Amino acid sequence: EKENFYLEKCCRKTIDLMNQNFSNKDIQITYKIENIQVCGYETELIQVLINILNNSKDALESKEDEKLIFIDILRKNNKAIIKIKDNAGGIDEDILDKVFEPYFTTKHQAQGTGIGLYMCQEIVTKHMNGHIDITNTQFKYNEKIHKGTLAVIVLDVVK
């Protein structure tokens, strides 16, 4: 059954589940979360967030300097917008349009099946009537320009 739930609680559960993994790898997570209510399957959205965050973690592991992940959840009109970005350098432009294809992976065979982002898209679009997009981004943080990947999930807000 679909249910109403708050994104702040959902996001905090996800971060709590993964925090040890990130602190062990010196990855700093910064978040700004508005408490917005949506309708859907909270456990499935947690799976989506875990998948996106794990992809960022994997990409950041080989980075020598500052390892950053930003999570922003905000309300725009009647939409909840979840933005997750990292400073891992981004995704090769040649493959960016393939990231949601089933069995497509950039990882070694032993590490990835290529089903993660495909399942994320299925959950967000079919189970939560939302939209997910992944692009490369450039942003300024602490007076430094960073390049990375930006995942944006848009969901309907409970009225």
Side-chain angles (χ1 to χ4, degrees):
E1 292 287 308
K2 281 188 176 184
E3 60 184 9
N4 293 347
F5 64 93
Y6 286 95
L7 289 177
E8 181 179 19
K9 187 176 170 198
C10 175
C11 191
R12 290 197 190 284
K13 281 183 190 175
T14 307
I15 292 167
D16 287 347
L17 283 169
M18 304 186 73
N19 214 9
Q20 192 65 47
N21 240 340
F22 288 97
S23 58
N24 288 348
K25 306 219 182 301
D26 293 323
I27 298 171
Q28 176 188 328
I29 300 178
T30 304
Y31 46 92
K32 286 190 300 206
I33 304 170
E34 285 183 39
N35 203 17
I36 304 164
Q37 194 174 38
V38 296
C39 183
Y41 304 99
E42 184 179 15
T43 55
E44 289 190 3
L45 185 59
I46 288 171
Q47 287 301 314
V48 170
L49 298 174
I50 285 173
N51 195 291
I52 292 167
L53 290 167
N54 270 332
N55 284 347
S56 287
K57 177 181 67 76
D58 293 346
L60 286 165
E61 278 187 39
S62 59
K63 201 170 161 20
E64 291 298 317
D65 55 348
E66 215 174 10
K67 300 173 187 181
L68 306 168
I69 296 176
F70 298 87
I71 303 170
D72 293 307
I73 300 178
L74 56 124
R75 183 186 184 126
K76 193 171 185 181
N77 303 322
N78 286 336
K79 301 290 182 188
I81 300 168
I82 303 168
K83 295 180 179 182
I84 301 172
K85 69 183 173 192
D86 62 45
N87 69 333
I91 299 169
D92 188 336
E93 290 291 337
D94 295 342
I95 61 170
L96 196 54
D97 61 340
K98 295 181 175 79
V99 295
F100 291 116
E101 290 177 12
Y103 309 111
F104 179 80
T105 183
T106 60
K107 297 175 186 168
H108 185 272
Q109 206 171 350
Q111 293 172 314
T113 60
I115 206 73
L117 288 175
Y118 169 74
M119 287 308 298
C120 287
Q121 186 181 45
E122 290 289 297
I123 289 168
V124 170
T125 58
K126 295 193 171 131
H127 298 190
M128 310 233 2
N129 300 322
H131 178 77
I132 183 171
D133 194 32
I134 293 183
T135 57
N136 285 322
T137 187
Q138 190 169 315
F139 59 95
K140 191 173 186 178
Y141 179 74
N142 285 347
E143 302 302 313
K144 190 175 171 192
I145 300 291
H146 297 275
K147 286 184 176 180
T149 303
L150 171 65
V152 179
I153 300 168
V154 180
L155 303 170
D156 289 326
V157 171
V158 173
K159 292 174 181 62

